[in-house]
Amino acid sequence: MTSPSLLRGFGAYAPERILTNADIESMVETTDEWITTRTGIRQRHVVAPGQTTSDLAVEAARAALADAALDTADITHVLVATCTPDASCPNTACIVARKLGMTGVMALDCNAACSGFLYGLELAQGIVAARPASQVLLVAAEALSLRCNWKDRTTCVLFGDGAGATVVTADVDATQGTAVLEDSIVTSDGSLGDLLTIGGGTANPYAIGDSVGEEYFVRMQGRDVFKHAVRSMTQVCNDLLARNGFTTEDVDLVIPHQANLRIIEAVGDRLGFASEKVFVNVHDFGNTSAASIPLALADARAQGRIRPGMRVLLTTFGGGFTWGAALLRF
């Protein structure tokens, strides 16, 4: 295991436009009661016309840089975790760097769906281990409302748009850091990928004039995803705690991927955490995929749920399938 890295500053951004369950009632056959009971979601933020994933990422990045007391000139690498990029090429990281006025930096997208932020942390940690002077801007951003099938009530009610960001540096002076990344595990199982998909790639080619098919949008076999998500998130958390000689008593707060309330509660219960130690904001944002955990981190700090000295456990699960966990010490 490499030396711990620092997470310096956190920022988040959600679009101003809010879509409530009542709004969705007028779009598809569903009810507020049905959505709330099955998901815990009451509203979600969605992009305005013309607003893109990179626009959300830039706002979160600026907030994280301000929180870390850093300038864009300090950044050496830009990583963007997303499964809803502005375009296939150029990558969204290059677009974000351009919008922030940065040139001469490495700019790379990372697509691990809802696990994107933790996968990005793994990449960022490797960069700063190899090049200790690096300061990596890691942004997770999604505009999933643009890839929802608004005729499919089983999926369109789940997703929202947003972004979260942090800056990852080497553990040179822990007093300057917001949090220490103590350890992380990320993994995958591609054999289950067909259970949760977003198309639009070379496996589903389009010719000029073709209409977009259902495969272009989010498609999910919800019951199977639920089962694998709960099992995988629980197991990876137990593995990470055991590897570091910790138990649940050593963890002050758990921040799971905000997929839906049933998954969050099931993971908390199986790990043996009291409900007050499990952070939840899915009711206000829905499932923002890769942005979910950094958005929740920023929200938890703003609410005073995270204080110096606390150990925070992050865990996630997403399409691919991909999943993971990370331990932060604030």
Side-chain angles (χ1 to χ4, degrees):
M1 187 171 62
T2 61
S3 299
S5 303
L6 293 181
L7 278 66
R8 294 186 59 184
F10 293 94
Y13 176 77
E16 294 181 7
R17 183 183 171 201
I18 292 176
L19 198 65
T20 66
N21 291 347
D23 294 327
I24 293 180
E25 285 179 344
S26 66
M27 301 167 62
V28 68
E29 186 180 349
T30 191
T31 65
D32 172 64
E33 188 275 336
W34 189 91
I35 299 169
T36 303
T37 300
R38 287 161 178 77
T39 71
I41 300 168
R42 296 195 295 262
Q43 65 175 38
R44 67 286 296 147
H45 295 249
V46 296
V47 291
Q51 197 172 27
T52 65
T53 295
S54 66
D55 292 330
L56 310 185
V58 165
E59 295 300 326
R62 286 176 174 149
L65 289 169
D67 192 42
L70 292 171
D71 189 80
T72 53
D74 299 314
I75 299 302
T76 58
H77 300 69
V78 177
L79 301 181
V80 174
T82 186
C83 64
T84 55
D86 284 18
S88 296
C89 181
N91 69 32
T92 304
C94 281
I95 298 171
V96 169
R98 173 178 61 80
K99 289 182 176 181
L100 289 171
M102 291 190 286
T103 59
V105 298
M106 172 182 161
L108 176 71
D109 282 6
C110 164
N111 180 359
C114 303
S115 304
F117 183 72
L118 292 194
Y119 267 65
L121 281 180
E122 193 83 356
L123 294 174
Q125 185 172 222
I127 290 170
V128 299
R131 301 181 183 277
S134 300
Q135 301 199 84
V136 183
L137 174 63
L138 170 61
V139 191
E142 303 283 14
L144 277 160
S145 66
L146 301 180
R147 299 304 293 271
C148 282
N149 177 355
W150 291 99
K151 296 182 179 180
D152 179 7
R153 71 171 188 167
T154 65
T155 58
C156 72
V157 302
L158 297 173
F159 297 101
D161 305 332
T166 190
V167 178
V168 182
T169 67
D171 188 12
V172 177
D173 183 354
T175 63
Q176 295 181 6
T178 302
V180 176
L181 175 59
E182 294 185 313
D183 196 11
S184 61
I185 298 174
V186 289
T187 188
S188 68
D189 184 351
S191 69
L192 301 169
D194 289 345
L195 297 178
L196 174 55
T197 62
I198 304 176
T202 57
N204 303 111
Y206 291 101
I208 294 175
D210 286 352
S211 59
V212 174
E214 290 185 2
E215 73 280 352
Y216 179 82
F217 302 98
V218 176
R219 294 194 294 181
M220 179 171 64
Q221 297 182 36
R223 291 183 180 179
D224 288 330
V225 172
F226 179 97
K227 176 181 65 178
H228 287 289
V230 173
R231 180 188 303 157
S232 299
M233 291 166 74
T234 302
Q235 185 62 56
V236 75
C237 286
N238 283 327
D239 290 346
L240 184 62
L241 291 174
R243 185 163 90 176
N244 288 273
F246 296 141
T247 70
T248 55
E249 295 300 316
D250 297 301
V251 176
D252 299 292
L253 187 68
V254 184
I255 300 182
H257 167 48
Q258 305 292 303
N260 73 57
L261 187 58
R262 287 184 172 182
I263 291 177
I264 294 168
E265 290 178 340
V267 171
D269 288 344
R270 291 197 181 189
L271 289 171
F273 287 106
S275 59
E276 59 267 21
K277 293 183 74 171
V278 181
F279 184 78
V280 179
N281 68 355
V282 70
H283 47 279
D284 286 333
F285 297 98
N287 181 348
T288 56
S289 189
S292 166
I293 284 183
L295 201 159
L297 271 169
D299 199 15
R301 288 180 71 228
Q303 293 182 30
R305 296 287 300 276
I306 297 176
R307 299 179 299 278
M310 294 180 67
R311 178 170 283 115
V312 178
L313 174 64
L314 314 176
T315 186
T316 190
F317 182 89
F321 282 152
T322 60
W323 65 95
L327 280 168
L328 303 182
R329 178 166 46 82
F330 282 79

